[in-house]
Amino acid sequence: MSASPLTPLDYIAEGYWQDFLAERSIAGGIAYETELRACTLDESLESLQRVDTLLSQVRRDMIKSGIWEEATLLIDERYRNFMVFLAFYAGRVLAQQWQSKPHWYGQFELRKRYPELTLITDDFYQHMAVGYDNDGVKERLFFALEPIGLRLFGHIDRQFDAVQGGQVESGLYQAVSLRLPTILSNDVHSVSELTSNKVAINKITTHKATTHQVADSGNPSADSNTHVGTSQSNELLEKPEEVSIGTEHNLANAVVTDGESLAALSAMPDTVTELQTSVVPPESENPIKPELTKVKKPTAKPTSPVKNTSTPEMFTQLLVELDEIAVPQPTGDVQYLQARKVLDQFEQHIAKQNKPRRQVIFSNDHNTAKNKALLLLQAAAEDGNTAAMLRLAMYELLGEGLTADSDNQKKSGVDWVNQAASKNDSRAQRLLSKMYYQGVGVSQDIDSGKYWLEQAADNGHAEAANLVQQWQQAEVLLTTQKQEQHSTKRYQLLIGAILAVALLIIVII
């Protein structure tokens, strides 16, 4: 970080944080302080997901209580302090990812230091920004109040434009994740580059003699960092069976061809894979090595899903919904379940890493096994299995699918989601609505987002139905307000007319 002098906001930000840690009242008070403390603000990326969940709940509370009025709440010091505190906290988390201290600028400093910015004086969300890295010239800036405002007050008639151009991110977790060091510096995947289907098949043939196999049983989707969605998952966690990643078995062969599928699955030993570390050659002196571990019985079962901190929220939610929301499939279930068994191992391993998924490295052997699982997933998707379509779409949109070119990966991912949505899969329709609202893989389109949200609600998606209901309530409130304003104007005109007639009578008399 440059040796810039501390600004008034630097002192205020530190004061807010120290008061919060010491459980002292922040000057002027802060709304939702109790709920904030329940979010466990440990300066991790995961904590920003909890904050985003709280912001969504605050929005719902305000709508239900009839106080969802942005201008009114921005006058309330307790609500302003709430948003400013969250901005300061997000700045701390982001600066920590850059291994530096946050440096805050108010509008006065911003106009002086960054004259190219077009700042609106009376825009609350542009009043401050944090500098979060230093390349020897100027820090990059993050206007942390913008995603907070969008999360609380954004709707079809209240869109937020970023002061630095483009769209405001939906929530602090997404906003901070998009500004992580590796994403900004080179935007390169750390995992091995995946090729087309034909190349993937050739790689599987080449490495088949040397890859490691790990036997698999049950449903491995349960994990300390993922939602326990089925009784199979619970039983799996309760078995203290040995787990190995360095055995002589072949992980790639755990995903078998169609003709071998049922027999191979039934013949697998009753063990479960955990990818403990990035696999390195035995002769390496790297201290991180594969090792035998035990899956210990947990002291208590999780009662609610804990979201993956290294994967975008919309996809962690999709994986939960694929477990929790049952959609009958015409075909492809066997292939999908085989692929899922292997891919869940990778997701569990990624979830345990305290870093973005692009930084998680796998060996060639494991990448080969993953590619083979993706091929099975693609076969199931082509047979019409919408769950396979969505899982395959997720990997394509993350840049980890079978399509080699990055632009074609996004197109392929969007196509698979559209196919599943057209088959009335409510999970696909909800995902597609998020993609349009956030501009993920498609151009941001609020109308299309609303359309697919309503389709998901009509097909029984509970969260979508709740959001549509809230939207309708908000529209009723706005319509009622406009009608009241119109009635008031008519009443004023009527009074004016009566007074004019009265004066005329007086003059005549």
Side-chain angles (χ1 to χ4, degrees), residues 62 68 73 112 116 119-120 128 138 148 152 185 194 240 243-244 269 284 315-316 322 368 384 450 457 470 495:
M62 290 190 298
W68 190 51
L73 290 171
K112 184 176 179 180
E116 68 275 11
L119 298 172
I120 302 174
M128 60 188 201
K138 292 181 180 179
I148 297 172
L152 287 175
S185 60
L194 300 179
V243 176
S244 172
S284 170
F315 295 128
T316 60
L322 287 173
T368 299
K450 184 181 179 183
Q470 291 176 21
I495 294 297

Side-chain angles (χ1 to χ4, degrees), residues 147-376:
I148 297 172
L150 177 62
R151 195 83 170 190
L152 287 175
F153 304 114
H155 58 85
I156 192 168
D157 295 320
R158 174 60 173 110
Q159 300 186 34
F160 283 71
D161 296 320
V163 66
Q164 294 175 291
Q167 298 292 330
V168 175
E169 296 85 0
S170 177
L172 290 173
Y173 176 76
Q174 183 185 23
V176 171
S177 296
L178 290 175
R179 291 167 171 81
L180 295 178
T182 51
I183 294 177
L184 288 175
S185 60
N186 50 34
D187 199 30
V188 176
H189 291 277
S190 297
V191 296
S192 300
E193 185 176 333
L194 300 179
T195 59
S196 64
N197 296 354
K198 183 176 180 181
V199 175
I201 295 172
N202 290 337
K203 284 180 66 181
I204 293 168
T205 305
T206 303
H207 291 289
K208 189 171 183 180
T210 57
T211 43
H212 301 296
Q213 177 192 31
V214 180
D216 186 8
S217 73
N219 181 353
S221 61
D223 183 82
S224 60
N225 288 334
T226 54
H227 179 57
V228 180
T230 65
S231 58
Q232 281 183 316
S233 301
N234 292 334
E235 291 171 4
L236 187 62
L237 280 175
E238 292 172 357
K239 294 179 182 178
E241 293 159 333
E242 188 173 272
V243 176
S244 172
I245 196 173
T247 66
E248 295 179 355
H249 301 295
N250 191 316
L251 177 59
N253 289 338
V255 188
V256 293
T257 58
D258 294 345
E260 304 167 341
S261 56
L262 291 175
L265 283 174
S266 61
M268 287 181 181
D270 191 20
T271 56
V272 57
T273 307
E274 272 196 80
L275 299 176
Q276 295 295 331
T277 60
S278 300
V279 178
V280 295
E283 65 274 14
S284 170
E285 295 181 359
N286 191 320
I288 303 176
K289 297 180 180 179
E291 57 184 15
L292 295 175
T293 60
K294 296 281 187 177
V295 178
K296 297 180 179 179
K297 182 177 180 179
T299 55
K301 297 179 183 178
T303 56
S304 60
V306 179
K307 294 179 180 177
N308 185 335
T309 63
S310 58
T311 302
E313 183 180 1
M314 69 166 60
F315 295 128
T316 60
Q317 183 62 32
L318 172 64
L319 293 178
V320 171
E321 290 183 0
L322 287 173
D323 282 342
E324 293 184 343
I325 302 177
V327 176
Q329 301 297 328
T331 185
D333 267 337
V334 173
Q335 296 160 307
Y336 171 71
L337 290 174
Q338 290 178 62
R340 173 184 159 176
K341 284 177 181 293
V342 175
L343 294 172
D344 278 348
Q345 308 293 337
F346 287 85
E347 292 305 317
Q348 289 176 26
H349 176 64
I350 292 170
K352 293 178 181 178
Q353 309 306 304
N354 188 25
K355 53 187 174 183
R357 64 186 293 134
R358 292 184 176 187
Q359 295 181 15
V360 181
I361 302 174
F362 294 103
S363 71
N364 288 335
D365 293 344
H366 284 93
N367 283 327
T368 299
K370 183 177 180 181
N371 285 344
K372 193 170 183 180
L374 289 174
L375 287 173
L376 268 181

Side-chain angles (χ1 to χ4, degrees), residues 18-207:
Q18 294 304 323
D19 285 344
F20 185 80
L21 291 179
E23 299 188 3
R24 294 191 295 263
S25 297
I26 292 173
I30 180 171
Y32 292 93
E33 182 175 353
T34 301
E35 291 80 359
L36 269 177
R37 296 190 183 281
C39 287
T40 313
L41 303 184
D42 53 6
E43 301 184 61
S44 66
L45 282 173
E46 182 184 17
S47 67
L48 294 180
Q49 291 183 313
R50 297 192 288 268
V51 169
D52 284 340
T53 301
L54 172 60
L55 287 172
S56 296
Q57 183 60 51
V58 170
R59 178 189 177 110
R60 289 192 290 269
D61 290 347
M62 290 190 298
I63 291 174
K64 289 178 180 178
S65 60
I67 62 169
W68 190 51
E69 177 57 50
E70 183 179 5
T72 302
L73 290 171
L74 287 181
I75 298 174
D76 189 322
E77 187 175 12
R78 295 181 70 253
Y79 278 93
R80 279 203 322 275
N81 284 344
F82 172 62
M83 288 185 274
V84 169
F85 174 84
L86 289 180
F88 285 151
Y89 178 70
R92 292 185 70 89
V93 175
L94 180 57
Q96 181 172 284
Q97 296 294 318
W98 285 88
Q99 298 183 351
S100 62
K101 289 185 178 180
H103 197 53
W104 285 93
Y105 301 105
Q107 272 209 5
F108 175 79
E109 291 87 5
L110 287 169
R111 292 182 189 278
K112 184 176 179 180
R113 191 177 179 91
Y114 300 90
E116 68 275 11
L117 292 176
T118 304
L119 298 172
I120 302 174
T121 302
D122 59 353
D123 190 332
F124 170 76
Y125 306 103
Q126 297 180 9
H127 279 187
M128 60 188 201
V130 62
Y132 59 89
D133 91 295
N134 176 32
D135 293 326
V137 185
K138 292 181 180 179
E139 300 103 329
R140 292 185 174 94
L141 290 179
F142 174 35
F143 286 79
L145 284 169
E146 291 179 336
I148 297 172
L150 177 62
R151 195 83 170 190
L152 287 175
F153 304 114
H155 58 85
I156 192 168
D157 295 320
R158 174 60 173 110
Q159 300 186 34
F160 283 71
D161 296 320
V163 66
Q164 294 175 291
Q167 298 292 330
V168 175
E169 296 85 0
S170 177
L172 290 173
Y173 176 76
Q174 183 185 23
V176 171
S177 296
L178 290 175
R179 291 167 171 81
L180 295 178
T182 51
I183 294 177
L184 288 175
S185 60
N186 50 34
D187 199 30
V188 176
H189 291 277
S190 297
V191 296
S192 300
E193 185 176 333
L194 300 179
T195 59
S196 64
N197 296 354
K198 183 176 180 181
V199 175
I201 295 172
N202 290 337
K203 284 180 66 181
I204 293 168
T205 305
T206 303
H207 291 289

Side-chain angles (χ1 to χ4, degrees), residues 68-69 155-157 450 470-488:
W68 190 51
E69 177 57 50
H155 58 85
I156 192 168
D157 295 320
K450 184 181 179 183
Q470 291 176 21
W471 192 308
Q472 292 171 344
Q473 289 173 347
E475 289 179 336
V476 170
L477 288 173
L478 290 172
T479 301
T480 302
Q481 184 182 26
K482 290 177 181 178
Q483 290 174 344
E484 290 174 350
Q485 290 173 347
H486 182 65
S487 298
T488 301

